[in-house]
Amino acid sequence: MSRSFKIPRPIGEAAQVLFITLVSFLLLGVLWGVIHPTSELVVTADGGAEIAPGTEDASFRGFTYYVALTALGGIAVALWAFRTRMRGLLMMLWTTLAVLWGAVAAWTVGVSVAERLHADPLPEHPQVGDVFHILDAAGPSVGMVVAPALALIVYWMAATFADPEDFED
């Protein structure tokens, strides 16, 4: 006597949105970690260190890369979810929440990848003229909600301009 269990369609589609979103944003996080700029510290004659000219804004540039990548990811996920999944208010809100989780995952993975790839260990006895790369990742602050906000807006706009018959299953 075998019983088959069938996952309800709304739950299955919500799971697909979450899975695709998290995988996409984890890959975006890895990409962001790879391209994250670093500041360069140069050891001076007095034993101190100065940031090399042109690298002072590395943390801000890294932050803008993060916001841009996750914003594009949020827009892409929202359009994909709207075009291929069940449509409705709950799916719009679920997509937004999934993109928020994706943005958090992208930040976490990206900082970890950037630290492993770009940060140099500081030696105990640096020599004058030595250059070290440091990763100064700015906090995500409001940048964390840009992608979910754009996903919500894009999904809502797509729903606003869609044919009402597209919502009937």
Side-chain angles (χ1 to χ4, degrees), residues 3 14 23 31-32 34 40 46 51 76 87 89 94 97 104 107 111 147 149 157 160:
R3 293 183 182 173
V23 169
L31 174 63
W32 176 59
V34 169
E40 294 179 356
D46 65 356
I51 294 182
R87 296 177 180 174
L89 177 63
W94 178 253
L97 184 60
V104 171
W107 181 268
V111 168
M157 287 179 63
T160 300

Side-chain angles (χ1 to χ4, degrees), residues 88-105:
L89 177 63
L90 289 177
M91 186 57 81
M92 179 176 69
L93 296 174
W94 178 253
T95 301
T96 303
L97 184 60
V99 170
L100 176 62
W101 289 333
V104 171

